[in-house]
Amino acid sequence: MQLTRSNPKGRLDSLTWAILGLGVLGAVVGFFMAMSSPPDQNQGFVARIFHMHVPTAWMAYMASFGALFYSVAYLVRRQAHFDRVAAAAVEVGLIFMALALLTGMLWARPTWGVYWDWEPRLTTTAILFAIYVGYMVVRGAIEDPELRAKAAAGVAILGAINVPISYMSVKWWRSLHQTQSIDLTTGKIMVDSAILIPMLVNLAAFTLLYIGMVRLRGIIAAREAAQEEA
Amino acid sequence: MKPKHILGLLVVAAALAYLIFGGLGQNLVYFITPSEYFQQAERYQNRPVRLGGLVKAGSLYYNPQTLELRFVVTDGVKEIPVRSSGATPPALFGENRGVVVEGRFQDGTFVSQNLLVKHSESYQAPKEGWTPEQVRKLIEETQ
């Protein structure tokens, strides 16, 4: 999962533009596909928020693995570039996490009856959100770049433990949140193909957007670092 | 890696493992089932409890004027009557649907303060030949 190639110069390359452009195009196509997908037989049209909620939630999880990968890479190689990409992975992940929580709450009110409930999936996801915020706070609080990178890498590595816990929470404990519709542990898919395909288009688009935004944020961070040194 | 770092990581890993597999799993049960209630009925008296199960078919009574709502929650083995008032139930609420109620036990009846609907993870299009517009009309008519 190479989010960015070694690009420590901070040059805005055409690959980043291509990924971002494809992501935006995919999101537009995905939106129209989602809005023409059939409603759910029980929930009706409100279930269409599925097309937004699931991709953003997966990106929010992926952000933690991206940060884990680049934090370990930083601790092994000690290159500032890896630290910048790890920070970008969390920062962009925070946006997707906020979107996942927001869409989830908007979906929960008409179906479950409440915006929020302290049930296992929601609680573990809120903890993950707090870890992402904490990661940014740690980065903001430490001046020394090397100490900051090491402390942030520690937060990212420990925080990543929460992703499998959050993912499996609906199976390990009784919860209000339903179990996975697309279960990565068993391979079972409980979604009609007419609903599944638009969601997968959105998932691909959001993945491209996520990678493109992380690359862009990494490039900006590299330029900032170059300016500070000069 | 220095020995003190390895020790620190081991302590963190052990603490997390204890939280996940020891403390949290046993004590933080999100809701109890009717069968579990009857096993330890006195334990659940006079304190807030979450009760989960299915709404038993044919047990649902709802008065839209007074917002009085009564139904029976079942886990297939045991049943508990539930009384709720004060709020309109969510649109997905109905017989044979999953439900989690928050409240207290009072003389064998569960008095619900908050009613949550638990829906399935399956998303299926409505029956063949139904256009979205027809479904929209159907949903509007039933409400």
Side-chain angles (χ1 to χ4, degrees):
Chain A
M1 193 168 55
Q2 186 95 341
L3 292 180
T4 74
R5 299 198 72 78
S6 286
N7 181 15
K9 294 266 158 48
R11 193 171 50 82
L12 188 49
D13 54 348
S14 50
L15 183 60
T16 306
W17 281 119
I19 292 172
L20 278 173
L22 263 178
V24 171
L25 188 71
V28 171
V29 172
F31 177 77
F32 281 103
M33 284 181 79
M35 292 315 272
S36 55
S37 71
D40 175 58
Q41 57 180 358
N42 291 322
Q43 297 184 29
F45 289 98
V46 76
R48 274 182 184 166
I49 208 161
F50 172 75
H51 299 286
M52 178 90 179
H53 180 64
V54 176
T56 51
W58 279 20
M59 288 308 108
Y61 282 158
M62 197 181 102
S64 197
F65 289 132
L68 171 72
F69 179 86
Y70 280 96
S71 296
V72 171
Y74 172 78
L75 291 179
V76 174
R77 293 280 181 82
R78 295 295 162 112
Q79 286 175 13
H81 169 68
F82 293 132
D83 175 52
R84 289 196 291 267
V85 180
V90 175
E91 209 173 307
V92 179
L94 197 53
I95 302 171
F96 283 89
M97 181 58 95
L99 281 173
L101 288 175
L102 188 70
T103 52
M105 285 165 82
L106 290 177
W107 195 0
R109 183 66 184 86
T111 51
W112 300 348
V114 289
Y115 286 107
W116 187 266
D117 194 61
W118 290 106
E119 61 91 63
R121 171 54 79 77
L122 271 58
T123 306
T124 50
T125 312
I127 292 170
L128 195 58
F129 184 72
I131 289 171
Y132 288 6
V133 173
Y135 179 92
M136 300 314 295
V137 170
V138 165
R139 291 195 77 88
I142 301 173
E143 288 272 331
D144 177 38
E146 209 168 306
L147 184 64
R148 177 177 60 208
K150 277 198 275 187
V155 175
I157 291 166
L158 289 177
I161 299 169
N162 199 26
V163 172
I165 295 174
S166 179
Y167 185 79
M168 295 304 291
S169 60
V170 288
K171 293 189 169 218
W172 288 347
W173 302 294
R174 288 177 194 159
S175 62
L176 182 62
H177 194 288
Q178 66 283 2
T179 52
Q180 292 90 351
S181 298
I182 300 148
D183 194 332
L184 300 177
T185 54
T186 59
K188 260 196 200 136
I189 297 176
M190 306 288 286
V191 186
D192 238 353
S193 58
I195 302 174
L196 180 68
I197 291 165
M199 198 286 279
L200 292 178
V201 171
N202 278 298
L203 180 65
F206 276 74
T207 309
L208 288 173
L209 279 177
Y210 176 77
I211 294 171
M213 282 162 84
V214 169
R215 290 178 67 100
L216 191 63
R217 184 68 186 88
I219 289 165
I220 293 168
R223 287 183 179 180
E224 280 171 353
Q227 207 150 45
E228 265 171 41
E229 274 172 33
Chain B
M1 217 190 294
K2 290 178 199 152
K4 68 170 183 182
H5 289 162
I6 295 170
L7 191 71
L9 279 177
L10 279 176
V11 169
V12 170
L16 278 170
Y18 172 73
L19 274 178
I20 299 158
F21 299 107
L24 274 179
Q26 288 302 311
N27 297 324
L28 290 186
V29 175
Y30 177 62
F31 60 76
I32 59 165
T33 62
S35 298
E36 284 167 351
Y37 167 71
F38 283 110
Q39 277 169 15
Q40 289 179 292
E42 66 285 352
R43 193 185 147 191
Y44 298 115
Q45 299 302 322
N46 298 317
R47 67 182 188 92
V49 182
R50 285 197 195 90
L51 177 73
L54 286 179
V55 179
K56 195 188 173 197
S59 74
L60 183 58
Y61 166 82
Y62 179 54
N63 185 338
Q65 255 67 52
T66 60
L67 296 179
E68 190 196 355
L69 176 65
R70 273 183 281 143
F71 56 93
V72 171
V73 165
T74 176
D75 58 4
V77 183
K78 298 275 186 176
E79 296 173 353
I80 291 175
V82 176
R83 183 156 51 86
S84 165
S85 57
T88 317
L92 272 182
F93 177 77
E95 293 178 349
N96 287 321
R97 293 260 171 88
V99 73
V100 176
V101 280
E102 298 176 339
R104 286 162 191 272
F105 286 99
Q106 265 177 22
D107 315 316
T109 304
F110 190 87
V111 181
S112 158
Q113 248 101 57
N114 201 6
L115 191 156
L116 311 173
V117 171
K118 188 169 155 59
H119 65 75
S120 86
E121 74 281 15
S122 159
Y123 303 108
Q124 304 296 328
K127 274 176 274 170
E128 202 66 38
W130 286 66
T131 65
E133 283 65 37
Q134 283 174 308
V135 176
R136 195 201 300 267
K137 234 165 105 186
L138 186 77
I139 291 166
E140 276 166 3
E141 275 167 10
T142 54
Q143 277 173 357

